[in-house]
Amino acid sequence: MKEPTSTRLLKVPEGLDVAAEALRHGGLVAFPTETVYGLGANATDEAAVKRIFAAKGRPVDNPIIVHVSDLVQVAPLVRNYPAAAGQLAERFWPGPLTLVLPRSGLVPDVVTGGLDTVAIRMPDHPVARELIRRAGVPVAAPSANLSGRPSPTRAEDVMEDLAGRIEVVLDGGPTGIGVESTVLDLTADPPAILRPGGVTWEQLRSVLQGVRPAPAAAGSGAGGSDTGGSGAESGPARSPGTKYTHYAPRARVEVVAGDPTRVGRRLRELAQGHLKAGRRVALLCAPSTFRGLADLGGGTVLRRVLDGLDYKVLLAAEVYSQLREFDRQGAEVVLIEGVSTSGLGAAVMDRLGRAAAGRVWRV
Ligand code: AMP
Ligand code: MG
């Protein structure tokens, strides 16, 4: 739908009833979850869900995750609910785990991209759950960004992309985890991670032996050194969304991960090359790495160092908002220190690989 909409930016809890009402009447509401902001519509209202695709510019074959506030909402959405789903829900819901299950007739085609499955999760955020509870319907919600842009982790990010296109943005402050949910296909045998996310493969394995890890994204695979540019678009698209370029800022992104000394050296080489060519360079790295690069000269280096105990966790939480910030500052190249692919690193490197369109170096 192309008609302009005036978007109401509302605080919580005051805005919850207005937002729930909007959802019940076919409106679009952006709301915080523990991963990123979601753009919600009543999942059982085909016309409402279609508006999500229009607002985001999302390819229509990319299905949308259905969010619930309570386990009783799941049964009507699925044809069957395997025992493994029960065990996983018990352990990880509410939380950043999405389960792909056989869909029921209640779920419109537009939600699933015509697939015979539906992806469901229960978010671990009080605002998200209270909104869904008050709306009284399951809520289909992809990330609340324009398709292809970095996911939104703050209400301002949502406004930047979607103001004038949706009815309500609920401002619940910055989100916590920062990367999206893990998408687990329980209709595959053995169950397979389609997209790495906030619940790690290691955690899933502790409940469900034999679960298959996510296919390696460009540059995040084991072993290969110096393999920039292998492309993030290859491989089977069981989770259709994963075949699209994602999370990308306007700036060109390059990622270097591995041995800290070599990472520092490679980041320096890359930065110097770009600076020589007159490009505005931004750096996102750990403080220890930055100390070795502090002399990189020129007013054209925009720096952001993530200072804290766990660089991997911080990077997950802040990378999207940093990419947006660097865009606002006019960076032409963003150089990022990557992380190992264990634990949450699998999700972080997956997203970085896509933002970088495969320009990832393991050193
Ligand atoms: P987002 O658009 O960021 O919310 O991501 C949703 C992800 O879940 C995309 O990668 C979708 O392709 C995936 N997804 C949603 N529904 C299904 C489904 N029924 N089967 C497989 N993947 C799904
Ligand atoms: Mg998304």
Side-chain angles (χ1 to χ4, degrees):
M1 226 157 281
K2 290 278 181 294
E3 78 269 25
T5 309
S6 73
T7 300
R8 299 176 70 181
L9 176 60
L10 302 174
K11 297 248 175 273
V12 287
E14 308 87 84
L16 276 166
D17 278 329
V18 174
E21 188 69 13
L23 284 176
R24 274 197 303 274
H25 289 94
L28 301 185
V29 173
F31 60 94
T33 79
E34 80 278 29
T35 58
V36 304
Y37 273 73
L39 176 60
N42 176 353
T44 62
D45 178 343
E46 183 174 0
V49 176
K50 278 189 175 151
R51 293 187 57 216
I52 292 180
F53 291 88
K56 288 187 51 122
R58 183 179 175 95
V60 289
D61 66 345
N62 189 2
I64 298 180
I65 295 168
V66 177
H67 294 67
V68 298
S69 57
D70 197 290
L71 273 180
V72 300
Q73 286 177 301
V74 176
L77 300 171
V78 300
R79 281 201 308 282
N80 62 61
Y81 189 68
Q87 287 159 9
L88 292 165
E90 162 102 353
R91 168 81 168 74
F92 296 109
W93 280 1
L97 175 65
T98 295
L99 300 178
V100 172
L101 295 164
R103 74 187 259 204
S104 77
L106 184 67
V107 185
D109 276 350
V110 62
V111 171
T112 68
L115 296 174
D116 196 30
T117 55
V118 59
I120 303 176
R121 90 172 185 105
M122 188 190 293
D124 187 15
H125 194 292
V127 174
R129 279 218 309 291
E130 186 58 19
L131 173 67
I132 300 166
R133 198 185 66 73
R134 290 193 196 189
V137 292
V139 172
S143 51
N145 52 293
L146 286 175
S147 211
R149 299 263 300 142
S151 297
T153 50
R154 303 170 312 163
E156 302 88 285
D157 301 339
V158 179
M159 291 299 283
E160 180 176 88
D161 279 16
L162 298 178
R165 294 168 170 258
I166 66 178
E167 277 71 33
V168 177
V169 177
L170 276 182
D171 184 355
T175 58
I177 298 172
V179 290
E180 295 82 347
S181 63
T182 303
V183 178
L184 178 68
D185 186 358
L186 285 179
T187 69
D189 187 17
I193 296 177
L194 303 179
R195 173 179 78 177
V199 169
T200 66
W201 176 55
E202 292 87 340
Q203 286 174 304
L204 288 174
R205 255 193 326 182
S206 72
V207 176
L208 202 60
Q209 279 153 23
V211 52
R212 263 184 291 155
S220 67
S225 64
D226 255 13
T227 50
S230 61
E233 312 289 308
S234 58
R238 281 286 298 146
S239 193
T242 58
K243 72 174 186 261
Y244 294 105
T245 303
H246 260 69
Y247 320 107
R250 282 182 282 276
R252 170 193 176 98
V253 176
E254 296 178 348
V255 179
V256 186
D259 169 77
T261 313
R262 287 204 287 265
V263 168
R265 207 180 299 142
R266 178 57 58 88
L267 286 173
R268 170 182 293 282
E269 285 163 13
L270 289 169
Q272 282 170 338
H274 290 302
L275 289 170
K276 219 188 218 158
R279 301 189 187 103
R280 282 168 74 80
V281 177
L283 268 176
L284 187 60
C285 62
S288 50
T289 309
F290 182 72
R291 278 194 288 278
L293 298 171
D295 62 302
L296 271 175
T300 57
V301 183
L302 311 163
R303 302 172 160 124
R304 177 73 167 85
V305 182
L306 295 178
D307 200 354
L309 283 183
D310 191 332
Y311 177 69
K312 192 180 277 185
V313 172
L314 273 169
L315 189 59
E318 294 193 23
V319 68
Y320 291 140
S321 61
Q322 275 312 312
L323 290 176
R324 285 174 177 268
E325 179 63 27
F326 287 144
D327 266 353
R328 282 192 291 271
Q329 295 176 348
E332 291 163 291
V333 181
V334 178
L335 301 178
I336 303 179
E337 175 174 9
V339 293
S340 82
T341 54
S342 65
L344 193 59
V348 175
M349 289 305 287
D350 171 73
R351 307 307 189 272
L352 289 181
R354 293 172 201 285
R359 286 182 292 268
V360 178
W361 289 268
R362 298 220 144 258
V363 294

